[in-house]
Amino acid sequence: MAIEARLIHGDCTEELKKIEENSIDLIVTSPPYADQRKNSYGGINPDRYVDWFLPISEELLRVLKPTGSFILNIKEKVVNGERHTYVIELILEMRKQGWLWTEEFIWHKKNSYPGKWPNRFRDSWERLLQFNKNKKFKMFQETVMVPRGDWAKNRLSNLSEKDRIRDESKAGSGFGKNVSNWLNREKVYPTNVLHMATQCNNKNHSAAFPESLPEWFIKLFTKEGDWVLDPFMGAGTTIKVAQRMMRNSIGIEIQEKYFKMVEKNIKSKQFHLFEKTVTYAVNQT
Ligand SMILES: C[S@@+](CC[C@H](N)C(=O)[O-])C[C@H]1O[C@@H](n2cnc3c(N)ncnc32)[C@H](O)[C@@H]1O
């Protein structure tokens, strides 16, 4: 199978317009957070964040396949002693644009060290918002199953009568559980809290996410040969993982130094990783 990594140097506001509609299976991205890291790659004023992002999410809606998913890694910053509401406002505006806000995963940064400010503690989690175009989308839940874990030892050793029948959710959600179903199972489904360490060893980009993060979503939402897009490519974590997992990918990065770095890394790795299976295209704008 020939796998392609398409690297684009430019502003995603413009470059996304050149991508074919309904062509992408998964978007995983971490845009610049409001006003943070202004010196390294620019920041957007929190009050203007929603207006800045909406034209981009409009394009993402256009390029995503009807069966695809969009994972947005974002966190609201603190302004004048309280959390700014731009993430909440963005979700509401994106719903008006036509997106479904399907799920919210929490990325728990499990290697956070303790700390406090006068009125708060160390931030050790970020949002991973999942948006879709349709209620039915591709999802391969078995690919992210985890070892059953210690909870089962106590919980399953002494089952009551009720644990052996399906217990319907009282909230009327249609969900139900039969605890005894988990007897003798090695693997279980994960929760929507992802415990992953931050990337501490990437000296080349101040905000690279760990490879385990795009990897988890690529497994869950795509198959080999599918197309993965990161419109805020940074150090290229999404692209690197997509290549390793035999997915086609498109990465857009506005800053030349990051773009060049990814270009070099992908070029040097592609040969020995995949021999002749990876083709490589660069669009210098
Ligand atoms: C939070 S970082 C992404 C880090 C990335 N997830 C990684 O693992 O390396 C955001 C990146 O978006 C880039 N960027 C900011 N505005 C952009 C735009 N309009 N178009 C494309 N890239 C942009 C920044 O230069 C920065 O490298």
Side-chain angles (χ1 to χ4, degrees):
M1 184 190 297
I3 293 296
E4 192 179 334
R6 211 178 287 167
L7 307 181
I8 300 170
H9 177 212
D11 184 337
C12 67
T13 322
E14 288 308 313
E15 297 303 326
L16 283 169
K17 293 179 186 158
K18 301 173 193 165
I19 297 177
E20 201 184 322
E21 67 176 341
N22 297 329
S23 63
I24 302 293
D25 297 279
L26 173 66
I27 302 161
V28 188
T29 203
S30 171
Y33 294 176
D35 260 357
Q36 269 163 359
R37 304 180 201 268
K38 259 191 189 149
N39 299 332
S40 49
Y41 56 74
I44 319 302
N45 184 307
D47 293 335
R48 289 200 296 273
Y49 201 86
V50 174
D51 287 344
W52 169 74
F53 198 77
L54 283 179
I56 296 170
S57 55
E58 182 81 51
E59 283 305 313
L60 297 177
L61 186 66
R62 187 184 65 76
V63 302
L64 190 69
K65 286 183 186 170
T67 52
S69 291
F70 170 26
I71 299 295
L72 178 60
N73 172 215
I74 198 164
K75 176 91 187 209
E76 47 277 272
K77 67 176 261 146
V78 173
V79 181
N80 293 332
E82 59 169 338
R83 291 280 175 193
H84 199 285
T85 54
Y86 61 87
V87 176
I88 294 161
E89 288 158 29
L90 181 62
I91 294 169
L92 297 176
E93 289 303 316
M94 283 178 63
R95 290 186 74 242
K96 287 186 202 156
Q97 237 174 9
W99 288 102
L100 301 177
W101 179 31
T102 315
E103 179 55 307
E104 175 170 51
F105 295 88
I106 298 298
W107 168 22
H108 164 223
K109 301 173 175 182
K110 64 177 187 177
N111 57 340
S112 277
Y113 44 91
K116 78 165 184 64
W117 279 255
N119 56 357
R120 65 191 69 246
F121 295 116
R122 163 85 53 209
D123 229 347
S124 97
W125 65 274
E126 290 185 14
R127 296 170 188 274
L128 292 151
L129 304 173
Q130 181 190 338
F131 295 96
N132 293 90
K133 287 168 91 157
N134 287 308
K135 285 191 179 155
K136 278 201 165 175
F137 48 87
K138 285 197 300 187
M139 190 177 190
F140 309 104
Q141 289 162 319
E142 276 63 33
T143 61
V144 292
M145 289 183 92
V146 291
R148 200 171 61 170
D150 288 343
W151 68 271
K153 282 190 198 128
N154 289 336
R155 186 67 185 87
L156 296 181
S157 61
N158 232 339
L159 292 181
S160 67
E161 277 311 302
K162 203 174 165 206
D163 287 335
R164 294 177 187 280
I165 55 169
R166 185 176 159 90
D167 184 20
E168 298 294 339
S169 159
K170 311 277 179 299
S173 63
F175 279 92
K177 64 175 189 304
N178 178 343
V179 179
S180 67
N181 273 343
W182 299 107
L183 282 170
N184 305 321
R185 296 220 193 162
E186 294 288 308
K187 293 218 163 178
V188 294
Y189 295 106
T191 67
N192 57 5
V193 180
L194 310 180
H195 305 279
M196 292 173 184
T198 52
Q199 191 79 31
C200 299
N201 57 357
N202 194 329
K203 309 260 185 304
N204 299 315
H205 200 290
S206 54
F209 43 45
E211 289 187 20
S212 52
L213 200 107
E215 183 176 332
W216 199 81
F217 290 104
I218 290 174
K219 263 197 276 188
L220 183 58
F221 293 121
T222 68
K223 291 274 191 216
E224 284 190 4
D226 280 356
W227 280 89
V228 178
L229 166 69
D230 188 343
F232 298 95
M233 177 171 74
T237 317
T238 306
I239 307 303
K240 184 175 164 197
V241 174
Q243 280 219 311
R244 171 158 58 71
M245 296 174 72
M246 297 303 283
R247 271 65 166 176
N248 294 294
S249 57
I250 303 179
I252 308 174
E253 172 55 48
I254 201 165
Q255 284 208 46
E256 190 174 21
K257 65 173 176 179
Y258 296 135
F259 171 78
K260 287 241 151 89
M261 184 176 84
V262 181
E263 186 186 27
K264 199 166 144 218
N265 288 344
I266 298 275
K267 254 187 186 166
S268 67
K269 292 225 169 63
Q270 72 182 45
F271 186 70
H272 78 256
L273 267 182
F274 304 116
E275 295 176 345
K276 287 178 185 140
T277 56
V278 178
T279 57
Y280 162 81
V282 180
N283 175 4
Q284 291 259 23
T285 53

